[in-house]
Amino acid sequence: MNLNATLLGEAIAFIFFVWFTMKYVWPVLNGAIEERQNKIAEGLAAGERAEKDLELAQHKVTEQLKDAKAQAADIIEQAKKRATQIVDEETTRGHEEREKIIAQGQAEVEAERNRAKEDLRQQVSVLAIAGAEKILERQIDAAAHSDILDKLVAEL
Amino acid sequence: MAGELTTQGYIKHHLTNASVGEGFWTWHVDTLAWSILLGLVFILSFRSVAKKATVGVPGKFQCFVEMIVEFVGQSVKDTFHGKNPLIAPLALTIFMWVLLMNTMDLIPVDFLPSLAQWIGGLMGYDPHDVYMKVVPTTDLNMTAALALGVFVLMIFYSIKIKGFGGFMKELYAHPFNTPWLYWFNFIIEVISLLAKPMSLALRLFGNLYAGELIFILIAGLIGVWQLPAHFIWAAFHLLVIPLQAFIFMMLTIVYLSLAHEDH
């Protein structure tokens, strides 16, 4: 148990081991650990950032969705309004058209009837003259008696 | 002398180092061999991890080694506030080396000595003259060498940081700062300075020597009842082994941190 040369040997071994650890072991391992710690810290920070971004994006999405819904409702409302407007307009236009066509038809019918009446009158006058001729059995001067004839025609 | 198979002879045999040489130039071959072997186990295994260390996902052994490195690094960071690239590797070396040497205590007390005796017998020696003490930290030379290394570093850094004058001033002007008490301060401070490595060496040596002695006593005295007794003592010793390594490391850091402090 006395102190002896073993102490010197162990001291030399101790110095060697410390030197070796200082030179070849500690810096490498500690460096790896620290680098990994940095990496993990960065990863965590990135994750947090991404989470924040996601939250923001979700906010945006809900807002946009709300906007879009409002817009869609607006558009539908406008379309409905426009549709009723168009329907109303078309209905009035149709009515007017119908009135117009009916009026036109009536006018045409009137004109036709007037023409037929005129024709008839002409023919009756001719017939009347012919009849009178036959009754009188003589030549009636058409020109001389035209006033009578005209009166007749007017009476028809 | 070592021929008889008495309990006393058994214990004495177990407490004797295998030595070569005479007087001061005696070499405890077993202490040297085991400690250097364990030191090599430490630096080579850690070096192999360091060589393959990845920054990415580490393997299991790398994880284990990094745990130790980080633990030691944290201890150093908490206690030592200066900047010195030596302290952390020194602490790691002390912790791992002492831990491994202490762990030799858990190998059954007769296993390696008996093996050595058997081999010695084969080589033509009298087995009773073959000694083998496998726990290097039960040799005061081992613990004193560690403490001496730490002591030299303490002195070195004290002088380096504070200058020789500052270091001396710390020795003579410290508790009572009046010139007529300088001689008294000097005695106290030198004693407390020398007590640091002494306590380092003796604490580790005493703990491990006592632990080893209990194992030997259990093995030598109580026959077949030694099995549960060994188990209980080994379980208790399981606490002592890392604790002593940790204390040695921590005190080293503290002492060196004191050496770096400039008043």
Side-chain angles (χ1 to χ4, degrees):
Chain A
M1 238 200 292
N2 307 329
L3 290 178
N4 55 34
T6 312
L7 188 143
L8 298 179
E10 296 292 6
I12 291 165
F14 181 42
I15 291 166
F16 169 73
F17 290 143
V18 170
W19 169 80
F20 189 90
T21 308
M22 191 170 109
K23 189 116 191 181
Y24 297 110
V25 176
W26 183 269
V28 184
L29 286 172
N30 206 41
I33 290 172
E34 273 169 8
E35 207 168 317
R36 187 170 327 111
Q37 277 175 336
N38 283 344
K39 254 188 170 176
I40 291 172
E42 273 167 28
L44 285 176
E48 221 162 278
R49 252 198 327 265
E51 213 170 314
K52 228 176 249 170
D53 282 357
L54 180 69
E55 210 174 302
L56 235 93
Q58 271 173 343
H59 254 296
K60 239 188 208 164
V61 165
T62 42
E63 237 160 66
Q64 278 181 349
L65 217 65
K66 224 167 39 186
D67 267 12
K69 266 185 190 163
Q71 265 181 6
D74 244 26
I75 289 168
I76 289 170
E77 189 74 18
Q78 272 180 2
K80 269 186 188 163
K81 238 188 239 167
R82 182 92 185 100
T84 45
Q85 202 183 354
I86 288 170
V87 168
D88 281 356
E89 271 173 20
E90 286 305 304
T91 315
T92 29
R93 217 162 55 111
H95 273 298
E96 277 167 10
E97 197 87 351
R98 200 183 62 177
E99 297 295 320
K100 224 161 67 185
I101 289 167
I102 288 171
Q104 214 175 11
Q106 274 175 345
E108 258 169 44
V109 167
E110 193 69 25
E112 202 66 28
R113 209 177 60 177
N114 284 348
R115 219 155 36 102
K117 246 188 198 168
E118 201 64 33
D119 261 12
L120 219 56
R121 236 182 242 157
Q122 295 287 335
Q123 282 176 4
V124 167
S125 72
V126 173
L127 274 176
I129 292 170
E133 268 178 356
K134 267 178 192 156
I135 295 166
L136 297 176
E137 286 182 339
R138 58 168 177 118
Q139 197 79 34
I140 296 171
D141 188 356
H145 302 290
S146 68
D147 56 327
I148 302 168
L149 281 173
D150 282 342
K151 224 188 243 168
L152 214 73
V153 170
E155 269 168 31
L156 279 170
Chain B
M1 62 140 209
E4 67 269 58
L5 249 174
T6 60
T7 307
Q8 209 182 356
Y10 173 81
I11 294 170
K12 203 165 177 196
H13 188 268
H14 266 286
L15 292 180
T16 310
N17 282 103
S19 31
V20 178
E22 286 295 323
F24 177 77
W25 292 107
T26 309
W27 301 88
H28 289 168
V29 182
D30 44 5
T31 302
L32 281 166
W34 285 114
S35 64
I36 290 170
L37 178 74
L38 292 168
L40 288 175
V41 166
F42 156 60
I43 56 168
L44 293 182
S45 62
F46 271 53
R47 176 64 191 156
S48 80
V49 170
K51 254 196 236 164
K52 289 181 288 182
T54 60
V55 176
V57 179
K60 283 174 184 165
F61 190 55
Q62 193 188 338
C63 267
F64 175 69
V65 166
E66 282 184 359
M67 257 165 67
I68 297 169
V69 168
E70 223 180 335
F71 164 70
V72 173
Q74 195 58 45
S75 303
V76 172
K77 227 179 276 168
D78 289 343
T79 314
F80 186 84
H81 298 298
K83 259 206 187 307
N84 189 335
L86 174 69
I87 305 299
L90 175 74
L92 178 67
T93 309
I94 286 175
F95 180 69
M96 279 312 294
W97 200 18
V98 172
L99 183 70
L100 286 173
M101 290 192 289
N102 289 356
T103 309
M104 293 299 284
D105 220 359
L106 290 177
I107 297 174
V109 277
D110 272 328
F111 181 63
L112 288 169
S114 299
L115 197 67
Q117 282 182 327
W118 180 67
I119 291 169
L122 287 185
M123 286 163 67
Y125 293 102
D126 180 1
H128 294 292
D129 288 338
V130 177
Y131 298 100
M132 174 63 69
K133 224 172 136 191
V134 296
V135 189
T137 37
T138 58
D139 187 341
L140 189 57
N141 287 300
M142 178 70 236
T143 60
L146 290 173
L148 193 69
V150 175
F151 184 63
V152 168
L153 284 173
M154 278 164 63
I155 303 288
F156 173 73
Y157 282 116
S158 286
I159 293 174
K160 191 183 169 196
I161 302 290
K162 303 158 194 166
F164 187 74
F167 175 54
M168 288 319 277
K169 199 173 174 208
E170 205 171 55
L171 286 183
Y172 65 72
H174 190 231
F176 307 109
N177 199 3
T178 38
W180 61 276
L181 272 176
Y182 277 174
W183 61 276
F184 183 67
N185 292 339
F186 191 72
I187 294 171
I188 287 185
E189 285 297 313
V190 167
I191 289 173
S192 90
L193 185 68
L194 292 178
K196 282 170 183 171
M198 292 265 277
S199 71
L200 269 184
L202 289 176
R203 179 183 300 106
L204 182 59
F205 165 73
N207 272 283
L208 269 291
Y209 190 81
E212 178 79 344
L213 192 61
I214 300 281
F215 275 124
I216 295 167
L217 285 176
I218 290 170
L221 291 177
I222 57 175
V224 82
W225 290 105
Q226 66 177 277
L227 290 175
H230 267 314
F231 175 77
I232 291 165
W233 183 242
F236 176 69
H237 214 57
L238 213 52
L239 295 174
V240 175
I241 286 166
L243 187 68
Q244 287 306 320
F246 176 69
I247 289 173
F248 203 109
M249 178 192 81
M250 263 336 266
L251 285 178
T252 301
I253 301 169
V254 169
Y255 290 160
L256 285 175
S257 143
L258 285 178
H260 279 71
E261 245 166 47
D262 209 346
H263 294 292

